Amino acid sequence: MASTAEGVAPAPADKPPVALKLAHGFGSVAFGVKDGGFNYFLLLFYGTVVGVEPGLVGLAIFIALVFDAVSDPVVGYWSDNLRSRWGRRHPFMYAAALPVGLSYFLLWSPPEWSQTGLFIYLTVLAVTIRTFITFYETPSSALLPELSRDYEERTSIQAYRLFFGWVGGNAMSVLMFGVLLTGPLGMRDPDGFRTYGVVASVLMVTAILVSAMGTHHRIPTFSKPSPSPERFSLRRILREMFEILSERSFIALFIATVIFSIALGVNTSLAFLMLNYFWGFSEFQIFIWTTTVFISAAMSFFIAPFAVRKLGKKHATIALGLLAFTIQPLPVLLRLVDLMPENGDPILFPIMLAVNIFDLALIIAVQTVSYSMIADLVESNQVRTGRRNEGVYYAAMTFTRKTTQGLGVLAAGLILSLIAFPEGEEPSAVPQDTLWQLGAFYAPTLLILWMAALYCLSRYKIDKAQHEANLAALAEVKSD
């Protein structure tokens, strides 16, 4: 166990200053902007503005996901074992900044090529962007366990990160729908998308550099890779990764994250249809709905740390989740039995808006606490194996977030196919029976997925007492 001590750096302050939390958290703006662009605008832009066949756009994104399947764990493991004067993480973070900005700018300013040429152009840029986002996001996220080893403080640090991720992504959506796409061409305005590309690229580069430079001074306090008598080999890498990922608490958290991501994919994919068709809200009301995400993110910033202090991480996640995931489908279920105001009633939108603000705050809080639970796996794994592998853990979660939402999109598509939802019809032209079926599939599907995810989280075993015991065991090894 002597080698373990070499991998343990001086313990960081239990409560890092607010400036450090802000710097680390602000970096998640880059991932939030990229995620929003890929989820909401990429298919719209290339399919309707540029004129690429939607199937080719989907294929390009799928190819990028295949590359993610390789790059995420590779970058995670590589950053766990890198030795440099800038530590294990920061070389990746600095290296990502300019490639991310340049490739994201080019993505929204495509040349006038053929279908094949544009498909290749989109595929190359999608792979490049997602790979270099991994170069930044995985090492940056993996800094969290080393910024503080305090059980509750880690949730506070994660709250900053989730807050900026949601705010950054949503700010670009508000800019698009409220400013850039409001001209005569509306959603088909290529200049609006080009301007978005410039603004988004500058914001992403700024976020990455601010985060990297703002945490740079803490490098001497971060752990170094533990030396190993074995030479690097594929066999060693696979064995170590199996050891890391075989911990039961990690498996519980991983499966829960997969199910959460699928549920989010269903919710995101059907959000516009539910708001515009099921509830009959206007485009302006939907825009107002979008802007209130900032309120929800701010509320969650305080809810998550408070809940952890009172309940501990696992119980806080379950309690918040039970509340959030029953509130979310409740209005739909009430509408199905005619207990909600009719569409067009002046009271309907304020009721739904208030419910959504509170519910989304709870959902973001659940994400915050569940992601902070990853940090506590690091010391548990170090006690078992003698190695710190933050990068591998966070790479697994990052990959899950990026890929399984696609399963949610698939599930949403199956729902629309089952109810034979008409394409291109105005809300008033869709039969009421079809809208009722949409709600009848939407609400129970989400409820089942959310409850399954919470059940998996209940199998997570590391509480505050176990975490502190792990820290004590590592401190004892270090002192030997």
Side-chain angles (χ1 to χ4, degrees):
M1 293 290 287
S3 63
T4 306
E6 296 184 48
V8 181
D14 283 342
K15 294 190 175 181
V18 171
L20 184 63
K21 295 180 183 179
L22 286 170
H24 179 255
F26 185 65
S28 67
V29 167
F31 188 90
V33 171
K34 187 280 304 177
D35 220 30
F38 272 64
N39 287 342
Y40 295 109
F41 304 128
L42 193 63
L43 180 60
L44 172 68
F45 176 60
Y46 274 88
T48 64
V49 179
V50 180
V52 179
E53 287 291 331
L56 291 178
V57 179
L59 179 59
I61 295 173
F62 175 77
I63 292 171
L65 290 177
V66 172
F67 276 84
D68 271 342
V70 177
S71 67
D72 280 22
V74 168
V75 170
Y77 186 87
W78 188 5
S79 73
D80 281 338
N81 293 278
L82 181 69
R83 294 181 180 274
S84 79
R85 64 188 182 92
W86 283 356
R88 297 185 292 167
R89 316 294 181 190
H90 280 73
F92 293 93
M93 296 162 66
Y94 285 118
L98 291 181
V100 164
L102 179 60
S103 56
Y104 204 73
F105 164 75
L106 293 174
L107 183 68
W108 305 99
S109 299
E112 295 182 2
W113 289 354
S114 66
Q115 287 280 313
T116 302
L118 286 168
F119 167 71
I120 295 172
Y121 181 87
L122 172 59
T123 302
V124 170
L125 286 177
V127 170
T128 302
I129 292 164
R130 296 182 77 107
T131 299
F132 279 100
I133 278 289
T134 298
F135 262 62
Y136 168 72
E137 181 66 18
T138 294
S140 180
S141 298
L143 292 178
L144 189 152
E146 303 208 82
L147 294 178
S148 174
R149 293 175 185 171
D150 182 80
Y151 179 81
E152 293 167 355
E153 188 64 19
R154 284 176 168 177
T155 302
S156 175
I157 298 170
Q158 185 65 54
Y160 278 82
R161 196 159 183 91
L162 262 288
F163 172 79
F164 279 109
W166 276 86
V167 166
N170 196 64
M172 296 309 299
S173 295
V174 170
L175 177 67
M176 287 290 275
F177 294 126
V179 180
L180 299 180
L181 299 180
T182 57
L185 296 177
M187 303 287 286
R188 299 176 64 87
D189 187 352
D191 290 336
F193 285 99
R194 276 193 289 269
T195 304
Y196 162 79
V198 173
V199 175
S201 299
V202 171
L203 183 57
M204 293 168 80
V205 172
T206 302
I208 291 172
L209 292 179
V210 166
S211 184
M213 292 187 289
T215 56
H216 191 103
H217 68 285
R218 295 297 292 266
I219 291 174
T221 72
F222 296 155
S223 300
K224 299 175 177 60
S226 300
S228 173
E230 284 187 72
R231 296 178 58 186
F232 270 103
S233 65
L234 180 60
R235 181 178 180 181
R236 173 190 162 186
I237 292 171
L238 293 176
R239 188 188 72 248
E240 290 183 0
M241 291 186 71
F242 179 78
E243 289 177 354
I244 296 163
L245 302 180
S246 62
E247 183 166 348
R248 290 184 178 180
S249 288
F250 168 78
I251 294 172
L253 197 55
F254 179 82
I255 296 174
T257 304
V258 169
I259 300 173
F260 273 138
S261 297
I262 294 172
L264 284 172
V266 173
N267 192 36
T268 300
S269 301
L270 297 179
F272 179 79
L273 291 180
M274 291 299 298
L275 293 174
N276 192 227
Y277 288 79
F278 189 84
W279 296 112
F281 295 150
S282 67
E283 290 186 6
F284 178 73
Q285 288 175 317
I286 295 174
F287 174 73
I288 296 299
W289 185 283
T290 303
T291 63
T292 59
V293 170
F294 300 120
I295 302 174
S296 300
M299 290 171 61
S300 73
F301 182 80
F302 298 99
I303 292 172
F306 175 80
V308 169
R309 287 194 300 271
K310 295 297 183 181
L311 301 173
K313 292 182 182 178
K314 183 173 82 171
H315 291 136
T317 305
I318 293 173
L320 293 172
L322 286 173
L323 187 57
F325 303 144
T326 51
I327 289 175
Q328 186 182 54
L330 184 59
V332 178
L333 295 173
L334 291 176
R335 164 57 63 83
L336 296 178
V337 292
D338 296 325
L339 293 178
M340 285 291 288
E342 293 294 326
N343 288 2
D345 190 316
I347 197 64
L348 178 62
F349 182 69
I351 290 175
M352 290 298 299
L353 189 65
V355 168
N356 182 69
I357 290 172
F358 182 61
D359 185 61
L360 183 58
L362 292 174
I363 290 175
I364 299 174
V366 170
Q367 287 183 323
T368 300
V369 181
S370 62
Y371 291 164
S372 76
M373 292 162 75
I374 303 170
D376 301 331
L377 291 167
V378 173
E379 286 83 13
S380 178
N381 172 70
Q382 191 174 2
V383 169
R384 288 191 307 117
T385 67
R387 299 184 304 272
R388 290 187 68 89
N389 294 106
E390 301 97 323
V392 172
Y393 281 129
Y394 280 95
M397 294 303 176
T398 300
F399 175 70
T400 299
R401 288 162 58 194
K402 289 191 292 188
T403 56
T404 52
Q405 284 190 9
L407 296 177
V409 175
L410 175 61
L414 291 175
I415 290 174
L416 295 179
S417 297
L418 283 171
I419 65 175
F421 194 87
E423 297 183 9
E425 294 286 354
E426 292 293 324
S428 59
V430 178
Q432 288 301 308
D433 287 347
T434 302
L435 293 177
W436 192 93
Q437 291 175 22
L438 175 62
F441 276 100
Y442 171 84
T445 298
L446 286 181
L447 192 60
I448 291 169
L449 288 171
W450 292 131
M451 293 303 114
L454 290 180
Y455 171 77
C456 293
L457 280 175
S458 71
R459 316 310 295 170
Y460 183 91
K461 300 298 183 184
I462 303 173
D463 57 12
K464 185 174 182 178
Q466 182 61 57
H467 175 65
E468 291 179 348
N470 290 334
L471 292 179
L474 295 173
E476 183 179 350
V477 169
K478 181 183 176 184
S479 64
D480 289 343

